[in-house]
């Protein structure tokens, strides 16, 4: 495997954007304050069946609903040029359906946050949807009912209307793969549905259509006067063949198509639609299992044309790399069996506190190259990258090492390979509610004390490190040794 361990001393292109990110459910708390409606994550964490390893919730989380000014001060200290955060749909539109009304307190909250950022010279970069669907829409089937795309279109329009005068960078949907596969296939994430190979594909289909609706509304109705940009955020891993065997080499490429191409091909490719290999493999297994038609939904020709090209950049979230081996996962039907992929890790790759996250810096460079080659040199905006450690580590040397090596691999992709990366986002600004891991895994540049009602924030070593990278715009060559 082509790794290049040599450190590259160089700086990033002028104007390269540095930022940090969070999401609404993970930090805001105030889950039912001031008229906010319930979301599927509120419902999921309050369920009688435990879903969260430490039994915790995001009811209070970092209390950023009340402490947002502190967060902005941390961002200012880092010297970032932008802050990626998400809007809570049900804080703005409590039922999810605008015909039932909106919540002025929600508008006020995001106006205050946006204005505070701008007053401190930080650009807001806003994710419309980071997994917290209004529960009211889940009652109608949520992402499984195509009507959700109408609701998402109305909500997006509403957000552009109220905030687009000041927000110039938008993201439609964060990691549709996770929402589809973990929310509707494995069922470990809200809404907790586990029908792998069936409902994950159906949710994915509507997520893609919803993304395209929002992009077109922005493009047609708001871009001419607001002049911003808007894109999707993809969950990416790099899949390295487990052996040189051509079957494993093909399995690894197929795994990239099942992971990234599923949502990427319809939007970023020349032809649109799902990747051919995905259509072929899902159809094959569907037939073999006696389904009357492929379990992968079909786009109409009109939909293919409507979805294709709905991007201004490729929002890329990246954390880790896996090995792919050709083989049949034993459960049918299932997404993983459809791909005929057996995923694993190389045991020599350093672990993190998250079981799914191993430290494999060269995979970042490879995935950036893969996306650039696959989608014709599309501008890539790295919208998440980060490392999980255990709670309460202030001198977080492992995170500093992770960021050093990953950011350096991104630099190699730009300088040595010619990949067009336009910005980078460290996940996360502050320790927060890490979904099913609760507060047991930490991603923050700043520590949050979740036992203290005031939720004090404390800089970790990684905050000082990242601040220096931003100030230097990379890794300038050290002075020559005398
Ligand atoms: C991002 O997703 C999220 O956008 C962010 O909210 C989150 O806090 C951050 O990463 C850190 O987790 O092994 O097949 O079960 C990445 C979420 C969750 C995706 C775990 C991979 C494991 C898939 N990841 N998931 S699997």
């Amino acid at each position: 495997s082509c790794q290049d361990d040599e450190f590259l001393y160089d700086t990033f292109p002028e104007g390269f954007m540095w930022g940090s990110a969070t999401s609404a459910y993970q930090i805001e708390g105030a889950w039912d304050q001031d008229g906010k409606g319930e979301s599927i994550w509120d419902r999921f964490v309050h369920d009688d069946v435990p879903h969260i390893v430490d039994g915790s919730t995001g009811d209070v989380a970092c209390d950023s609903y009340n402490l947002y000014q502190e967060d902005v001060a941390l961002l200012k200290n880092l010297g970032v040029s932008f802050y990626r955060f998400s809007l809570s749909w049900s804080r703005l539109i409590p039922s999810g359906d605008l015909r039932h009304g909106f919540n002025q307190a929600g508008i006020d909250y995001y106006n205050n946050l946006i204005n505070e950022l701008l007053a401190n010279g930080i650009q807001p970069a806003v994710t419309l949807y980071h997994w917290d669907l209004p529960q009211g829409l889940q009652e109608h089937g949520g992402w499984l009912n195509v009507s959700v795309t109408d609701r998402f279109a109305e909500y997006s329009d509403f957000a552009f209307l109220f905030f687009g005068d000041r927000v110039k960078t938008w993201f439609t949907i964060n990691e549709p793969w996770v929402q589809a596969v973990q929310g509707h296939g494995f069922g470990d994430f809200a809404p907790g549905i586990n029908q792998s190979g069936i409902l994950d594909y159906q949710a994915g289909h509507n997520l893609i259509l919803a993304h395209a609706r929002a992009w077109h509304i922005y493009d047609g109705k708001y871009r001419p006067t607001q002049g911003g940009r808007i894109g999707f955020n993809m969950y990416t891993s790099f899949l390295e063949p487990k052996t040189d065997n051509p079957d494993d080499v093909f399995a690894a490429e197929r795994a990239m198509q099942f992971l990234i191409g599923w949502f990427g091909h319809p939007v970023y490719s020349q032809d649109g639609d799902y990747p051919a290999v995905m259509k072929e493999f899902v159809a094959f297994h569907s037939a073999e299992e006696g389904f009357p038609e492929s379990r992968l939904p079909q786009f109409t020709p009109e939909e293919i044309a409507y979805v294709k090209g709905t991007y201004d950049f490729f929002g890329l979230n990246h954390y880790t790399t896996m090995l792919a081996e050709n083989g049949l996962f034993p459960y049918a039907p299932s997404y993983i069996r459809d791909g005929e992929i057996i995923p694993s890790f190389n045991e020599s790759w350093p672990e993190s506190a998250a079981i799914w996250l191993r430290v494999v810096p060269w995979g970042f460079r490879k995935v950036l190259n893969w996306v650039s080659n696959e989608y014709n040199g599309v501008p890539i905006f790295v919208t998440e990258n980060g490392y999980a450690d255990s709670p309460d580590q202030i001198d977080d040397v492992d995170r500093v090492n992770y960021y050093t090596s990953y950011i350096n691999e991104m630099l190699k992709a730009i300088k040595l390979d010619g990949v067009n990366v336009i910005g980078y986002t460290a996940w996360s600004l502050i320790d927060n509610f890490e979904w099913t891991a609760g507060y047991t895994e930490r991603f923050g540049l700043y520590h949050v004390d979740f036992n203290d009602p005031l939720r004090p924030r404390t800089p970790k070593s990684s905050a000082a490190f990242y601040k220096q990278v931003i100030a230097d715009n990379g890794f300038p060559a050290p002075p020559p040794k005398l």
Side-chain angles (χ1 to χ4, degrees), residues 46-61:
H46 295 146
D47 200 352
D48 292 337
V49 181
H51 297 288
I52 312 301
V53 293
D54 56 1
S56 66
T57 72
D59 289 358
V60 179

Side-chain angles (χ1 to χ4, degrees), residues 20-23 26-27 78 83 319 385-387 399 403 425-432 434 442-446 460 462:
S20 188
T22 60
S23 86
Q26 295 178 273
I27 66 160
L78 284 176
Y83 176 41
Y319 291 87
N385 176 236
Y387 175 81
R399 177 169 294 102
Y403 277 130
T425 317
W427 181 277
S428 177
L429 178 66
I430 48 180
D431 287 343
N432 57 53
E434 178 49 26
R442 303 294 176 86
F443 281 86
L445 297 166
Y446 289 85
K460 303 182 189 177
S462 56

Side-chain angles (χ1 to χ4, degrees), residues 26 130 174-175 182 235 319 356 384 427 434-435 443:
Q26 295 178 273
H130 202 120
N174 182 64
E175 298 182 351
Q182 296 189 244
Y235 178 63
Y319 291 87
W356 56 272
E384 285 181 27
W427 181 277
E434 178 49 26
W435 309 113
F443 281 86

